[in-house]
Amino acid sequence: MADYRKMWEELDMDLQKHDGLCEVLPMFYEDVYLSQENRPEGMNYFNFVIAEVHGLRIKELQDVKEEGRKVIGSFCVYVPDEVTLALDAVPVGICSGSQFWVPDGEKLLPRNTCPLVKASIGAKISKTCPYFQSCDMVVGETTCDGKKKAWEILGDYMDVHVMDLPQMKREKDKVHWIDEINTYKSVLEEKTGKSLTYENLKEKINLVNQKRKVLKRLYDLRKCDPVPISGKDALLVSQIAFYDDIDRFMEMTNKLCDELEERAKKEEGVFEKGAPRIMITGTPMSIPNWKMHHIVETSGAVVVCEETCTGTRYFENPVKEDGQNINEQFKNLADRYLGINCACFTPNEGRIEDILRYIEEYKVDAVIYNSLQFCNTYAIEYKKVEAALKEKGVPVIMIETDYSEEDTGQIKTRVEALIEIVKDKKGVTA
Amino acid sequence: MADYRKMWEELDMDLQKHDGLCEVLPMFYEDVYLSQENRPEGMNYFNFVIAEVHGLRIKELQDVKEEGRKVIGSFCVYVPDEVTLALDAVPVGICSGSQFWVPDGEKLLPRNTCPLVKASIGAKISKTCPYFQSCDMVVGETTCDGKKKAWEILGDYMDVHVMDLPQMKREKDKVHWIDEINTYKSVLEEKTGKSLTYENLKEKINLVNQKRKVLKRLYDLRKCDPVPISGKDALLVSQIAFYDDIDRFMEMTNKLCDELEERAKKEEGVFEKGAPRIMITGTPMSIPNWKMHHIVETSGAVVVCEETCTGTRYFENPVKEDGQNINEQFKNLADRYLGINCACFTPNEGRIEDILRYIEEYKVDAVIYNSLQFCNTYAIEYKKVEAALKEKGVPVIMIETDYSEEDTGQIKTRVEALIEIVKDKKGVTA
């Protein structure tokens, strides 16, 4: 990495503490990622992005700010990037996924709060996240009790706008969500000094749809057997999608997909044909949360799909592009975003339908229901998902975990047992 | 207690399991309540109510049902009893507060769910709560992640209607809440076969306001020093308010207040003048959750106020009675109910204002912030409340607990330390 200390200093970062983070991440990445065999060439770009995760991309954000444009952080797939982009601002996902930030988060939040929320707050107050430091504003949402109340605390440290996501999906809730998008637009217009136009929004709706299409292309390739890319690598691409430059991201991901298509034609995979195929469903995985994928893929199985916010929920279902005016465009945005089936909604039957469909599409042998600790909505929803999967005869286990490594051995034992069940069913001997 | 076994059988209760509950409650009540010295005579009625908690009141509910009227359960102070009553139905609070029900709740809910939610679900599925068994419908709400998702599970066992409480308090959220009240009205009209009229609703708004006035009268008497009634007894009256016959409840509580007024005139109290005065703020306490009050009042202090849903939030602020039509009445209902400051709202500044005001009004020496385990909203909101209290120089401790007795000793130690601080400040020697 180049020397970015001056930039970090200007971002009011805690350099000493940040050094601690910079020291561990490369080694961790090497262990988890670079140890993989037969990786696609196209992953080199994503290796580079990770190496520069607090460097080059942050430098680019500073250049954006130099131009007078704004940087807007968010934590959730419900925040419409299209509006942010249409107002010439740059959206970045601030999905804090490291145990490194948890102790600082626990200074302000109860210990029995979800690690993602604790890490987010910890990343801000410890001044060790250059994304937070680069943001002119962050956009929170009311998707869960933990986040909803954490934004009040975060508001003491920076400019926070909260979008009030409805809890149901009736017609009036859609009207409410359209209004929330409208309010966000107004707040951002104020912030940027710019006005949203029909043309700008049209262009950005198209752009984000293209990005979704690229991710969908990547995921479609994971339906092959043997699978041409590891779940770990696919997850990484998905995670990077949240903050990379969109055009470059699409170019490099398409290039990766070209390579994967060649592999698929040759039936060349990173795991042998017939390897047990696992779907992970549940809570989001932010960089560098690769824990569950690493366990699965070092236990003889491959992750072929994530029904999560850092998986299918992020890119499935494009926004309709037929809006004839801003009102219609907002309606189309609301339609698409309220089509995401997060456990924060009640009821949330659509998620079970999604899971069952993906099991067919991705030829899934077993499901790991992965929930961040203290995430009430996903943890409670497990019973209904479990019942639906049992009815279909699909093996499933529920794993509740945090960002620490303490439970890794225990989880590995359970995952191995699941994989054994799959192998028995498939008649494959270990 | 009379023999109610036949009634319980007809309610499809698990008699054997229920016997277990009936065995422990009287002893527990004796220990916690009947051991108190110098109790007001007027508490005899409430002793009787507890003795008949699964008997006489349930018999009354069966009589109500015989008349063709409906029994509607709820779990939260946001559900407008006025509408239930105006449709000639009987509202009963189903606030499950016993550890007895938790293990059954944990069969369907994750262990790290709030004990109140686990006990509610456990009470239903174990068929040991005659209130649940008497209900024609229960009304849930979206006040927290745990409840919101638990209603989906409860819906597999009985008729559940969920009211979608907003998460903010803007003008449009009030409109949303008015609409939710309207939807509830329609659901209940369907259920009861009756139609809501302006006159009925007017009468019931007045009735529930009267009930609030009686509770307010009781609480006002707790402002005296010495305090003429223990916190434990006041809490019990408040808890019983949720399910007792309203007219009788008001009559008996007024009678109790007459007695307390006499005591106040004579400066006669249940604790000596100058005893440390504690306010409890936080999550609701359902029968038989008397844990914190019992600890405080056996440690040399007295609880003078509860800023909780089984305290001030239940009765403060009447509904305006000037509505000229049903729409205006609904608007007045929404105004009153959205005036309740639960931590489920963001922001929730009003709660801090309430707490600071009660500290003055009730001459509070110290505050115990009492949160049920795994209640994210209250646990996270603590930091802001703590800061406000520290600024005012009011000692505060945060206690997170469940329904078990395992942590009683540890809590007692912390409460005693708090009381010592108060005594030092007041210059009272122990």
Side-chain angles (χ1 to χ4, degrees):
Chain A
M1 221 194 288
D3 188 6
Y4 296 110
R5 296 185 79 82
K6 191 164 169 289
M7 175 178 77
W8 292 335
E9 232 162 43
E10 283 165 9
L11 285 171
D12 188 27
M13 288 179 65
D14 182 335
L15 290 191
Q16 208 184 339
K17 197 160 200 170
H18 184 243
D19 284 347
L21 184 60
C22 294
E23 264 166 38
V24 291
L25 190 64
M27 280 185 298
F28 182 49
Y29 188 72
E30 199 175 315
D31 280 353
V32 176
Y33 274 92
L34 304 183
S35 62
Q36 293 179 100
E37 279 172 29
N38 199 19
R39 287 180 87 203
E41 281 292 315
M43 286 308 297
N44 284 335
Y45 169 70
F46 300 94
N47 289 341
F48 170 74
V49 172
I50 287 291
E52 288 287 338
V53 65
H54 281 192
L56 191 60
R57 182 65 187 139
I58 300 300
K59 175 72 174 66
E60 288 176 348
L61 294 180
Q62 305 323 305
D63 294 344
V64 159
K65 286 161 76 94
E66 280 285 310
E67 293 168 21
R69 296 165 65 199
K70 301 295 178 188
V71 176
I72 307 296
S74 68
F75 308 84
C76 177
V77 296
Y78 284 101
V79 177
D81 283 349
E82 293 87 345
V83 174
T84 313
L85 289 162
L87 281 161
D88 209 21
V90 178
V92 286
I94 305 192
C95 302
S96 302
S98 170
Q99 179 65 21
F100 182 84
W101 292 307
V102 168
D104 279 308
E106 287 178 350
K107 290 178 186 164
L108 292 176
L109 292 168
R111 291 194 67 166
N112 50 16
T113 305
C114 138
L116 189 141
V117 176
K118 287 191 290 196
S120 295
I121 297 295
K124 177 61 202 171
I125 69 162
S126 65
K127 299 182 175 183
T128 51
C129 169
Y131 291 91
F132 256 124
Q133 300 305 98
S134 301
C135 281
D136 295 286
M137 179 171 82
V138 291
V139 186
E141 16 53 48
T142 56
T143 41
C144 69
D145 290 343
K147 282 181 169 183
K148 180 167 71 176
K149 299 305 283 185
W151 308 142
E152 294 174 14
I153 292 173
L154 190 60
D156 293 340
Y157 295 84
M158 67 189 304
D159 197 0
V160 179
H161 173 70
V162 179
M163 294 185 78
D164 180 26
L165 189 73
Q167 315 196 62
M168 296 184 180
K169 293 185 178 181
R170 301 157 300 182
E171 201 50 38
K172 70 169 179 172
D173 299 309
K174 197 198 290 175
V175 172
H176 177 90
W177 188 236
I178 292 170
D179 192 55
E180 287 296 301
I181 295 174
N182 222 327
T183 303
Y184 173 51
K185 179 212 77 164
S186 303
V187 168
L188 202 57
E189 282 184 337
E190 176 84 14
K191 195 95 199 162
T192 57
K194 289 166 186 161
S195 288
L196 188 91
T197 66
Y198 169 75
E199 285 73 22
N200 280 353
L201 187 54
K202 188 178 167 69
E203 185 192 323
K204 300 308 179 186
I205 286 175
N206 178 264
L207 177 68
V208 182
N209 276 345
Q210 282 180 53
K211 177 173 155 183
R212 291 189 182 110
K213 221 166 139 180
V214 175
L215 282 163
K216 173 89 173 125
R217 185 181 171 205
L218 173 68
Y219 270 60
D220 280 343
L221 284 157
R222 300 171 75 188
K223 295 173 182 172
C224 303
D225 185 13
V227 62
I229 184 169
S230 69
K232 258 194 286 200
D233 277 335
L235 172 65
L236 184 68
V237 174
S238 204
Q239 288 171 332
I240 285 174
F242 280 80
Y243 65 89
D244 198 11
D245 174 82
I246 299 187
D247 290 315
R248 184 176 55 212
F249 173 81
M250 293 197 295
E251 186 196 331
M252 302 312 284
T253 306
N254 266 326
K255 235 166 120 174
L256 171 68
C257 289
D258 293 341
E259 183 187 351
L260 299 183
E261 258 171 24
E262 285 307 310
R263 284 188 167 202
K265 272 184 210 155
K266 292 186 277 180
E267 291 218 344
E268 188 187 326
V270 284
F271 291 82
E272 61 186 20
K273 193 176 165 79
R277 301 168 67 86
I278 305 292
M279 173 162 80
I280 292 179
T281 179
T283 50
M285 295 169 173
S286 316
I287 290 176
N289 180 10
W290 305 306
K291 186 173 172 175
M292 193 59 65
H293 283 62
H294 188 56
I295 292 173
V296 172
E297 299 196 336
T298 51
S299 304
V302 53
V303 179
V304 293
C305 178
E306 298 85 20
E307 192 279 315
T308 67
C309 291
T310 41
T312 54
R313 281 179 227 139
Y314 185 50
F315 65 79
E316 285 280 4
N317 307 317
V319 176
K320 272 195 200 146
E321 301 195 23
D322 62 355
Q324 297 300 308
N325 51 55
I326 294 182
N327 282 348
E328 287 183 18
Q329 288 174 321
F330 278 16
K331 197 191 152 297
N332 287 339
L333 284 170
D335 273 338
R336 190 266 158 188
Y337 281 95
L338 284 190
I340 303 171
N341 296 313
C342 172
C344 66
F345 284 94
T346 186
N348 188 35
E349 308 283 343
R351 182 168 165 231
I352 293 176
E353 291 164 22
D354 289 344
I355 291 172
L356 295 179
R357 194 174 63 250
Y358 298 146
I359 285 173
E360 295 297 321
E361 288 181 8
Y362 291 85
K363 306 179 200 80
V364 170
D365 294 313
V367 173
I368 295 176
Y369 195 106
N370 182 57
S371 178
L372 285 167
Q373 232 179 3
F374 308 118
C375 177
N376 273 316
T377 55
Y378 278 92
I380 298 179
E381 198 162 280
Y382 174 64
K383 283 283 168 198
K384 294 231 174 227
V385 173
E386 183 192 31
L389 290 176
K390 283 200 166 159
E391 203 187 307
K392 293 276 177 192
V394 180
V396 56
I397 55 171
M398 154 79 153
I399 290 176
E400 202 170 33
T401 184
D402 59 12
Y403 292 165
S404 76
E405 293 292 330
E406 285 164 33
D407 55 358
T408 304
Q410 196 192 1
I411 295 174
K412 197 167 164 63
T413 305
R414 294 188 59 206
V415 168
E416 283 169 352
L418 179 72
I419 293 171
E420 281 311 307
I421 290 170
V422 172
K423 283 183 175 169
D424 282 352
K425 270 182 85 173
K426 290 182 116 177
V428 179
T429 44
Chain B
M1 221 194 288
D3 188 5
Y4 295 111
R5 296 185 77 83
K6 191 163 168 289
M7 175 177 76
W8 293 334
E9 233 163 44
E10 282 165 9
L11 285 171
D12 188 27
M13 288 179 65
D14 181 335
L15 290 191
Q16 208 185 337
K17 197 161 199 171
H18 184 244
D19 284 346
L21 184 60
C22 293
E23 264 168 37
V24 291
L25 190 64
M27 280 186 297
F28 183 49
Y29 188 72
E30 199 176 315
D31 281 352
V32 175
Y33 273 91
L34 303 182
S35 62
Q36 293 179 100
E37 279 173 28
N38 199 17
R39 288 180 86 203
E41 283 291 314
M43 287 308 296
N44 285 334
Y45 169 69
F46 300 95
N47 290 340
F48 170 75
V49 172
I50 288 291
E52 289 286 340
V53 65
H54 281 192
L56 192 59
R57 184 62 188 141
I58 300 300
K59 175 70 176 64
E60 287 176 350
L61 294 180
Q62 306 323 306
D63 294 344
V64 159
K65 287 161 76 92
E66 281 283 311
E67 292 167 23
R69 295 165 65 198
K70 301 295 177 187
V71 175
I72 308 295
S74 68
F75 308 84
C76 177
V77 296
Y78 284 100
V79 176
D81 283 348
E82 292 87 344
V83 174
T84 313
L85 290 162
L87 281 161
D88 208 22
V90 178
V92 287
I94 304 193
C95 303
S96 303
S98 170
Q99 179 65 24
F100 182 84
W101 292 307
V102 168
D104 280 308
E106 287 177 350
K107 290 178 187 165
L108 293 176
L109 292 168
R111 293 194 67 165
N112 49 15
T113 304
C114 139
L116 189 141
V117 176
K118 286 191 290 195
S120 295
I121 298 294
K124 178 60 201 171
I125 68 163
S126 65
K127 299 182 175 182
T128 52
C129 169
Y131 291 91
F132 257 124
Q133 300 304 99
S134 301
C135 281
D136 295 287
M137 177 171 83
V138 292
V139 186
E141 15 57 46
T142 56
T143 42
C144 69
D145 290 344
K147 281 180 170 185
K148 180 168 70 177
K149 299 304 282 185
W151 308 142
E152 295 174 13
I153 292 172
L154 190 60
D156 293 340
Y157 296 84
M158 66 189 304
D159 196 2
V160 179
H161 172 70
V162 180
M163 293 185 78
D164 181 27
L165 189 74
Q167 315 197 61
M168 296 185 179
K169 292 185 178 181
R170 301 158 300 182
E171 201 51 38
K172 71 168 177 171
D173 299 309
K174 198 197 291 175
V175 172
H176 176 90
W177 188 235
I178 293 171
D179 191 56
E180 287 296 301
I181 296 174
N182 222 327
T183 303
Y184 173 51
K185 179 212 78 164
S186 303
V187 168
L188 202 56
E189 281 184 337
E190 176 85 13
K191 194 97 200 159
T192 57
K194 288 165 187 162
S195 290
L196 188 91
T197 67
Y198 169 75
E199 286 72 23
N200 279 354
L201 186 54
K202 188 178 169 68
E203 185 191 323
K204 300 309 178 185
I205 287 175
N206 177 265
L207 177 68
V208 181
N209 276 345
Q210 282 181 52
K211 176 173 156 182
R212 291 188 181 110
K213 222 167 141 180
V214 176
L215 282 163
K216 173 87 173 127
R217 186 181 171 205
L218 173 68
Y219 270 60
D220 279 343
L221 285 157
R222 301 171 75 189
K223 295 172 181 172
C224 302
D225 184 16
V227 62
I229 183 169
S230 69
K232 257 192 287 198
D233 276 336
L235 172 65
L236 184 68
V237 175
S238 205
Q239 289 171 331
I240 286 173
F242 281 80
Y243 65 89
D244 199 10
D245 174 82
I246 299 187
D247 290 315
R248 184 176 57 212
F249 172 81
M250 293 197 294
E251 187 196 332
M252 302 312 284
T253 306
N254 266 324
K255 237 168 119 174
L256 170 69
C257 289
D258 293 342
E259 183 187 352
L260 299 182
E261 256 170 26
E262 285 306 310
R263 284 189 165 201
K265 273 184 209 156
K266 294 185 276 179
E267 291 219 343
E268 190 186 324
V270 284
F271 291 83
E272 62 186 19
K273 195 176 162 79
R277 301 168 67 85
I278 305 292
M279 173 162 82
I280 292 179
T281 178
T283 48
M285 295 168 172
S286 316
I287 290 177
N289 180 9
W290 305 306
K291 185 172 172 176
M292 192 59 64
H293 282 62
H294 188 56
I295 292 173
V296 172
E297 300 196 336
T298 52
S299 304
V302 53
V303 179
V304 293
C305 178
E306 298 85 19
E307 191 279 314
T308 66
C309 290
T310 40
T312 54
R313 281 180 226 140
Y314 185 48
F315 64 79
E316 285 279 5
N317 307 316
V319 176
K320 272 196 201 143
E321 301 194 22
D322 62 356
Q324 296 301 308
N325 51 53
I326 293 182
N327 281 347
E328 287 183 19
Q329 288 174 321
F330 277 16
K331 195 190 154 297
N332 287 339
L333 284 171
D335 274 337
R336 189 267 157 190
Y337 281 95
L338 285 190
I340 303 172
N341 296 312
C342 171
C344 65
F345 285 95
T346 186
N348 189 34
E349 308 283 343
R351 182 169 165 230
I352 293 176
E353 291 163 24
D354 289 343
I355 291 171
L356 295 178
R357 193 174 64 252
Y358 297 146
I359 285 172
E360 295 299 320
E361 288 181 8
Y362 291 84
K363 305 179 200 80
V364 170
D365 294 312
V367 173
I368 295 175
Y369 195 106
N370 182 58
S371 179
L372 285 167
Q373 232 181 3
F374 308 117
C375 177
N376 273 315
T377 56
Y378 278 91
I380 298 179
E381 198 161 281
Y382 175 63
K383 282 284 168 198
K384 296 232 173 226
V385 173
E386 182 192 34
L389 291 175
K390 284 202 167 156
E391 202 187 307
K392 293 278 176 191
V394 180
V396 57
I397 54 170
M398 155 78 153
I399 290 176
E400 203 170 32
T401 185
D402 59 13
Y403 292 164
S404 75
E405 293 292 329
E406 285 165 33
D407 56 358
T408 304
Q410 195 192 3
I411 294 173
K412 196 167 165 64
T413 305
R414 294 189 58 206
V415 168
E416 282 169 352
L418 179 73
I419 293 170
E420 280 312 307
I421 290 170
V422 171
K423 283 182 175 170
D424 282 351
K425 272 182 85 171
K426 292 182 117 177
V428 179
T429 45

